[in-house]
Amino acid sequence: MKINSQSMKLLNERLILRTLVEKGSLTRIELSRITGLTPSTIGRIVYDLVKMGFVEEGDQVQTSPLGRKATSLFLTKKFCSSIIFNVGVEQTEVAVGYLDKTTKKLYEFPTENFSKFIGHVNEFLELIEKEQPIDPERTSIVFAFPGIVDTAKAEIVYTPNLNWRNVKLHDLIHYHQPIFADNEANLSILAESAISEDVKKSGNAFFLYMSQGIGGGAMIDHKILRGERFAGAEIGHTVVEARSDVRCHCGNYGCFERFASLLLPVAKYEKNGKKLKGKTLAEKFDSLVKMNNLGVEEARKALEDFLHYLSIGIINIVNTFNPKIIVIGGDSDLIWKSFGKDLYGRISERVMPRTLDGVIFRDSVFAGRTAPIVGGNIMSIEHIIETLESS
Ligand SMILES: [Zn+2]
């Protein structure tokens, strides 16, 4: 691009928006210090961004003990940056997001079959258009799916646990806003990279998404690994029992997710007619973990194979991607807190020498199933900034 004054202005507008997205509310002086732009350039660009409706002026804040007061600037919530459908095998959550990275969950519906699902999506879009501040020029629609998604075309390639294949979302949604779709684990690692300092800094991280199946999102040098056909980091379908006759939905045998998804320990515990507290798989798994943590022997037994195979899967992640941070999340944020010491022992016995040096393991900072929602909103915000046209 030839750098003339117009394109320079656009680059500066993007820089200021990105800085506000990353840091939150700032004064003009702080913006100048962080971006290196002169106070007069900041003044002009902020004036335009306020006029365009992206930035608002807030309260006067004291910038130093003796200094004069300055006006804080923040990103507007007058329009939603995104409408997000977080599709799980049992439930789909509907949320909206804003430019300042915050999100708000609005509704939930049972996922059921695909035609009912699309019916619900169009109904909720109609409702949200009426009730929320939607800007047709700026609000994107984002889907998070448990499976392989062609992100370039917003096409579901294959979701093993729902058995949806080759769906072009553009053909089915009655709205003309931009539509994005991605795998739930990819959106989760994107969310961690935007919110968590460790992932933001390192850029080499893996999100292990635990639910009915197991998803993987790999970030390498700050970029999400998608692969040639969008199946990059599908760790749930790597084999952990080579001669197993346990068939997976994907067609293979002995897949990681058939041995270590949250379904396994829950089913094992309930096999003898005992019921776990909770309606959803996530609630049941969490009650099992809490019983284990209280020392209940049956709970411990039900979790033993799960922990063994989970450690095998994590060893494969370490030996394949060698990330700096391994985040465990999805339907539970209790796994590393509860079993970290046990898992680390099993993992360190079998990985190659030195591969764990400095590696951080932790649960996701996002409780419940919010990581893909935040990631979906981050994707929309990036789109708004990338497609910004100068005033
Ligand atoms: Zn499989």
Side-chain angles (χ1 to χ4, degrees), residues 160 236-238 248-253 255-258:
H237 301 282
T238 56
C248 182
H249 304 287
C250 75
N252 201 350
Y253 294 86
C255 287
F256 179 34
E257 77 169 31
R258 295 307 308 270

